[in-house]
Amino acid sequence: MAKDLDDKGNYSSNQASKKKYRGFGRIAIILFIGLSAYMLVSTIVLIFLTKPKGEVEVPYVVGKRFVDVYNSISRSGLKADISFYDVFDIDNGIILNQHPDSGVIVSEGSRFKLVLSRSNLYVDVPNLIGLKLPFALNKLKNLHLYNRSVSLNPGIISYIPSEKTSDNIVIDQSPRAGEEIAPDTKINILVSAGALNENMKMPNIIGQSIELSINLLYAKGLNLYEEIKETRSKKMSGIIMSQSPKKEKLIKKGDKVDLKVYYYPMKERPYVSYDRLDYKIPSHFKSGMFEVYIQDNRSKRKRFSRKMKGDEDISFIYHRTGNARISIIYNKKVIEIISRNVQNFE
């Protein structure tokens, strides 16, 4: 220490300068580290904020119902921006115009402007009472108004026994014939299941769709077993190929009915089609009543009912309009829900 002191006992100027420079050096290092940390954080934030979004090809949706394509629009990353145009000759919710046009590449999250129809059209409900159910449903599909075809959708179709009216004949309807309704209003239909007595006869359902026959058979208290036969004809899908017992045979509540039903396998699920459900009951379930309900854009309805147990198979053909929610029920409690979503809107 002595060599660093001057004659008066003070530190030499050389030593003081070194100490001063060491202080500046520490400050410079601290500033450098702080500036580097700031630059690193800023760079990360800048990268995050300027991260490029994914690209999306705009689909063509003009002429389609908005409710049918909304999910696919959302999944693609586009944000629907809706406006309405009042019309009298087009159903509600039809997409009339879109921007950007189809095929344009935009960033994910871009606004997809859609113009939807808002209908002022009203339709007089036709009279369905006294008609066979297939003819009644066909009448709803083929209405004419303002030089265009208009279709009304059936709502709940219920069956009740009737001593006076033959089976599969419409007994009542709601709304009533002559009422003015919007085209999206559904028509609930009450149908005769015929007389349920010792003289009950098996109806002829060969060539009829399973969708129109199933509730009539259940209303008669019959146990149904379906054998699925694949076909190459799309038009035959859902059509009953054969039945046992044969037509006019005497039947009673609880009898077994064997049906062979055509099915056309689809690569993708279109908006309207027949689908197939195959479900194996988990092995831990004891014998009990199993039911299956189908809920789609048309209605909610029972499609299967039978006393079964674990490890047995539920297999049948059902008609679907739009997305379907399938509820598997055991002794009146839901045990599983299966979704069947539209994959092709053409």
Side-chain angles (χ1 to χ4, degrees), residues 228 263 276-280 313-316 318 338 340:
I228 299 171
Y263 174 63
R276 173 176 181 168
L277 177 70
D278 292 296
Y279 178 80
K280 178 173 284 294
D313 296 316
I314 296 175
S315 184
F316 60 84
Y318 67 96
I338 301 170
R340 291 287 186 267

Side-chain angles (χ1 to χ4, degrees), residues 96-113:
L96 304 177
N97 198 9
Q98 68 175 71
H99 180 78
D101 291 332
S102 61
V104 174
I105 305 299
V106 298
S107 298
E108 186 178 345
S110 295
R111 291 286 181 182
F112 191 23
K113 296 182 179 181

Side-chain angles (χ1 to χ4, degrees), residues 192-217:
S192 168
L196 304 185
N197 51 39
E198 66 276 5
N199 296 319
M200 187 167 61
K201 294 181 179 181
M202 179 69 186
N204 180 23
I205 54 175
I206 294 177
Q208 185 57 271
S209 70
I210 186 67
E211 186 73 9
L212 294 184
S213 305
I214 194 76
N215 288 335
L216 173 62
L217 299 179

Side-chain angles (χ1 to χ4, degrees), residues 4 20 234 246 261 290:
D4 292 328
K20 181 178 180 181
K234 185 177 179 180
K246 295 182 179 180
V261 185
F290 283 84

Side-chain angles (χ1 to χ4, degrees), residues 68 270-273 296-298 320-324 340-342:
D68 298 337
Y271 184 75
V272 178
S273 72
D296 58 10
N297 288 2
R298 176 186 157 200
R320 177 187 47 73
T321 302
N323 296 335
R340 291 287 186 267
N341 294 329
V342 177

Side-chain angles (χ1 to χ4, degrees), residues 65 85-92 117-124 143-152 180-185:
R65 291 184 180 275
Y85 183 76
D86 290 331
V87 295
F88 74 92
D89 57 349
I90 301 176
D91 291 344
N92 270 319
S117 62
R118 183 163 52 196
S119 179
N120 290 322
L121 176 66
Y122 287 91
V123 182
D124 289 338
L143 302 175
H144 298 282
L145 188 67
Y146 299 113
N147 297 320
R148 67 179 286 257
S149 295
V150 178
S151 295
L152 296 176
E180 285 192 344
I181 60 171
D184 58 353
T185 304

